[in-house]
C-alpha cells in the first residue's frame, strides 16, 4: 500500500469514528427505546405498555444513579415514597396468617396471560426464608423467620412493617423489593394477611 493510500484509509477511518461519535452524542437512546416499546409491544391483560414505558420520579432517579447515590437523592426518594404510603383504611393491620402463607407461596400475577383483576401472589419465598416448614427459599433478602417473635407487635413495629410491605423504598431507596401496595400488586386485604404471617404469634413464622 502506497503512502497516499494509507493516508486516505486513515482519513476514512477517522471520519467513520467521528461519525459514530456524532451519532452517539446526538441520539436520545432512552426516547428511542420508549418509542420502540410503544411501537412493538401491546398491552395484554395486566401486562401493560405503561408499566414499562411510564416511570415515576423514584424509578428515574434509580436509573440515573444505578450504584452510588448522593445522600440527598436517597433522602428525596425515601421521603417521597414514605409520604405515598396509605395505611389500612380501617386501622387494622393484621388479617389471617393462613392466607398470608398462600400469598407468600404464590408467585403468579400481572402477566399477559392473567385476567384483568386476577389475584396476584407475593412470591415472598423467592427472596426470604419465612417459615421453617418451607425448605425452598431465596436468600436475596434477610430471613424473616421469627419476625414477630423478635420484634413484638408494638405500634411502631406494625407501622414499619406495613410501610415496608406497601413500599419498600420508603426505607431503602431503589430497593429490589417490589412496591406491593404502591404498585397495586397486593390488595389491602392481602397486605393484612402477609402482616399476620409475619406478626401473628400463632403463625408458624413465630414458632
Amino acid at each position: 500500500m502506497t503512502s497516499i493510500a494509507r493516508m486516505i484509509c486513515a482519513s476514512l477511518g477517522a471520519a467513520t469514528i467521528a461519525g459514530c461519535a456524532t451519532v452517539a452524542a446526538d441520539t436520545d437512546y432512552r426516547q428511542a427505546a420508549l418509542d420502540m416499546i410503544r411501537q412493538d409491544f401491546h398491552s395484554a391483560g395486566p401486562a401493560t405498555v405503561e408499566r414499562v414505558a411510564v416511570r415515576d420520579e423514584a424509578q428515574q432517579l434509580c436509573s440515573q444513579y444505578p450504584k452510588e447515590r448522593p445522600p440527598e437523592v436517597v433522602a428525596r426518594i425515601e421521603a417521597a415514597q414514605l409520604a405515598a404510603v396509605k395505611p389500612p383504611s380501617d386501622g387494622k393491620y393484621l388479617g389471617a396468617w393462613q392466607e398470608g402463607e398462600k400469598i407468600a407461596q404464590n408467585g403468579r400475577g400481572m402477566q399477559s396471560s392473567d385476567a384483568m383483576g386476577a389475584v396476584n401472589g407475593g412470591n415472598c419465598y423467592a427472596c426470604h426464608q419465612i417459615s421453617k416448614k418451607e425448605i425452598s427459599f431465596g436468600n436475596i433478602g434477610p430471613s424473616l423467620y421469627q419476625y414477630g417473635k423478635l420484634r413484638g407487635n408494638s405500634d411502631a413495629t406494625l407501622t414499619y412493617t406495613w410501610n415496608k410491605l406497601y413500599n419498600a423504598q420508603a426505607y431503602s431507596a431503589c430497593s429490589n423489593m417490589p412496591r406491593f401496595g404502591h404498585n397495586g400488586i397486593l390488595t389491602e386485604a392481602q397486605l393484612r394477611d402477609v402482616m399476620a404471617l409475619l406478626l401473628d404469634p400463632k403463625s408458624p413464622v413465630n414458632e
Side-chain angles (χ1 to χ4, degrees):
M1 182 181 293
T2 65
S3 58
I4 295 177
R6 282 195 294 270
M7 290 175 62
I8 293 173
C9 288
S11 298
L12 288 173
T16 301
I17 293 172
C20 290
T22 301
V23 171
D26 293 344
T27 301
D28 185 342
Y29 289 105
R30 178 180 179 278
Q31 187 59 51
L34 290 175
D35 291 342
M36 181 183 70
I37 289 171
R38 290 193 171 99
Q39 178 179 342
D40 295 340
F41 290 82
H42 304 280
S43 298
T48 63
V49 173
E50 287 72 22
R51 279 177 54 199
V52 179
V54 179
R55 302 186 303 163
D56 62 18
E57 182 187 38
Q59 291 170 311
Q60 293 177 37
L61 288 172
C62 291
S63 295
Q64 185 178 349
Y65 302 97
K67 294 183 180 180
E68 297 294 329
R69 300 176 191 94
E72 61 272 18
V73 171
V74 171
R76 177 178 172 183
I77 292 172
E78 293 178 355
Q81 299 305 291
L82 182 58
V85 172
K86 296 179 181 179
S89 58
D90 58 2
K92 297 179 180 179
Y93 285 93
L94 301 184
W97 69 259
Q98 296 89 342
E99 295 303 313
E101 174 66 14
K102 295 176 184 177
I103 295 166
Q105 292 278 2
N106 181 12
R108 182 101 185 150
M110 305 189 79
Q111 301 178 54
S112 59
S113 56
D114 294 327
M116 291 296 293
V119 177
N120 300 319
N123 204 23
C124 308
Y125 279 102
C127 297
H128 302 278
Q129 179 187 30
I130 305 177
S131 168
K132 282 290 186 181
K133 295 180 181 179
E134 176 56 72
I135 61 173
S136 178
F137 55 85
N139 58 7
I140 296 174
S143 172
L144 300 177
Y145 180 60
Q146 295 192 332
Y147 183 90
K149 188 173 183 178
L150 295 172
R151 295 168 177 80
N153 278 348
S154 67
D155 289 343
T157 297
L158 288 170
T159 301
Y160 170 82
T161 306
W162 177 272
N163 293 350
K164 185 75 173 181
L165 289 172
Y166 194 96
N167 189 340
Q169 293 198 44
Y171 298 118
S172 180
C174 306
S175 170
N176 290 324
M177 182 172 169
R179 297 183 289 178
F180 288 111
H182 184 86
N183 288 336
I185 300 171
L186 298 180
T187 66
E188 182 178 296
Q190 287 181 304
L191 289 172
R192 282 198 292 264
D193 291 337
V194 176
M195 288 280 291
L197 176 66
L198 295 174
L199 293 166
D200 191 325
K202 297 179 181 178
S203 167
V205 172
N206 297 312
E207 293 178 346

